[in-house]
Amino acid sequence: GPLYASGIAWTLVYDTLYAHQDKVDDARLGLKSTALTFGEKNTKPILTALAGVAWGGWMMAGYNCGFGEFMEAPWYYVGVSGAASHLMWQIWSADLNCAENLAERFRSNNLVGWIVFGSCVTGNMMAG
């Protein structure tokens, strides 16, 4: 369902940012990675689309599990929108040729997970 799709999309975002740290070695060794497949020019637009898929999946999952319309559980929807905004920050502030910058963005995904988790807990409390 939508939660599964959002998990895959989110994983592709953070894994691709991580993969850009190793792209030179991967190319030299003939390994395949999303960093090499997407390339320098297309990585950020593709990851932006994937972040949109993750956000849409989180929104649909909340609706499908009974959180209802926005005003019925606004903190859930605001929360997952904040998580998606964090993904957008990661993507657009990433320096695809700086391992330190990419590692920082990769590690910040624990915050995305906590935001989504907190949004789910809050949504459940508000939905009663």
Side-chain angles (χ1 to χ4, degrees):
L3 189 58
Y4 186 74
S6 64
I8 291 171
W10 174 27
T11 301
L12 283 167
V13 170
Y14 71 72
D15 190 63
T16 299
L17 291 176
Y18 188 85
H20 270 277
Q21 296 178 85
D22 302 323
K23 64 187 168 199
V24 173
D25 291 334
D26 289 352
R28 188 170 33 88
L29 296 170
L31 301 174
K32 306 282 189 226
S33 73
T34 53
L36 295 175
T37 301
F38 298 164
E40 295 284 322
K41 182 179 176 187
N42 296 319
T43 290
K44 289 185 178 187
I46 291 169
L47 296 186
T48 298
L50 288 167
V53 169
W55 177 71
W58 293 327
M59 297 292 275
M60 289 189 335
Y63 184 82
N64 288 347
C65 75
F67 295 163
E69 302 291 332
F70 177 82
M71 293 310 293
E72 295 174 53
W75 296 116
Y76 171 79
Y77 296 107
V78 168
V80 295
S81 295
S85 296
H86 186 75
L87 285 180
M88 296 303 295
W89 167 80
Q90 289 178 35
I91 295 163
W92 290 99
S93 67
D95 179 343
L96 299 179
N97 295 301
C98 177
E100 185 177 316
N101 173 281
L102 294 166
E104 179 183 320
R105 272 125 196 90
F106 176 78
R107 285 189 303 270
S108 76
N109 279 282
N110 67 8
L111 181 58
V112 174
W114 281 111
I115 293 169
V116 172
F117 174 74
S119 300
C120 291
V121 170
T122 305
N124 275 309
M125 289 172 51
M126 293 182 82

